[in-house]
Every structure is written in structure tokens, then in C-alpha cells.
Amino acid sequence: MNRKWKTVIVDDNILKAMDIRKALEWNGLQDIAIVSCQEKLWDAIYAGRENGAEVGLIVTDMHYPLTPGAAPDEEAGFKLMERMEDIVNILKKVQMVFFHIEDNAYFGKKA
């Protein structure tokens, strides 16, 4: 069976997420999903395992909500790393890229 690998971007700032998506597409990646919280990331991971489109790359901000509608959690990226370590046998081939850009810096504003 040919595996289809999917990329998931985790960021609650849709403008940053879209820019990241454009950069990934420009570099040849396809099947890219954008989610705004960690719960939706786990949904994508488990759904992909069931339908043969496993998540192979996660590009994630460090500060974002854990669940839909929640406030951003400054520890979200670290919590993701801890959880990934707990289930490493399930997700052996997932690569992760972590980043954090202050919104003011991203939009060219001075803090």
C-alpha cells in the first residue's frame, strides 16, 4: 500500500498559517491542513492513521489554544512535545518544526 503523507500547520493566527502553507506548497508539499488548536491536530493525526493519509510533518507555533475557543496556552508547544514522546511508537515517522513569532513582529508593528 502506498502511504500518503500529510502536513499539518498548527497556528491560531490564520495569516501566519497561510504564509507558512504558501512556503510549503512552493517547496512541493501537498495535502496541507491548517488547524488552530491542539485538539484539532490530534483529530487529524488519528483520522489520518485510519484513512491512510498519515501526518508526516507538523509545523507548529509554540503558543496556541489547546481546545477550540480556549485562550492561547503559552506552553502548548511544550505540551505537544511531551504528548508526542508518550506515543512515539504510534507516530514514529512524524517530523515536527516548532516556531514562535510575536504577532507584533509578524505584522511589522513595534511592541
Side-chain angles (χ1 to χ4, degrees):
M1 175 176 128
N2 261 345
R3 281 202 175 158
K4 183 177 177 186
W5 296 101
K6 180 177 189 161
T7 299
V8 180
I9 300 166
V10 187
D11 199 324
D12 57 332
N13 182 317
I14 191 65
L15 297 176
K16 285 192 288 188
M18 293 300 292
D19 282 348
I20 293 165
R21 180 185 197 143
K22 286 178 196 174
L24 293 172
E25 289 173 339
W26 189 83
N27 282 284
L29 275 78
Q30 299 176 348
D31 198 10
I32 302 169
I34 297 173
V35 298
S36 61
C37 68
Q38 201 168 110
E39 183 178 298
K40 297 292 183 184
L41 169 64
W42 290 107
D43 290 346
I45 288 170
Y46 291 118
R49 291 192 72 230
E50 292 174 8
N51 67 24
E54 292 187 63
V55 173
L57 175 63
I58 299 169
V59 179
T60 180
D61 191 5
M62 293 298 288
H63 304 166
Y64 55 89
L66 297 176
T67 58
D73 184 327
E74 291 188 7
E75 300 291 317
F78 296 109
K79 291 175 182 178
L80 175 61
M81 284 188 277
E82 288 172 0
R83 188 164 175 196
M84 293 295 283
E85 287 176 3
D86 290 342
I87 60 168
V88 72
N89 290 331
I90 296 173
L91 303 170
K92 288 181 182 177
K93 297 184 181 191
V94 174
Q95 301 296 311
M96 295 191 292
V97 176
F98 292 87
F99 70 93
H100 179 70
I101 300 171
E102 293 293 331
D103 286 341
N104 288 340
Y106 183 78
F107 292 108
K109 299 177 186 172
K110 293 185 180 179

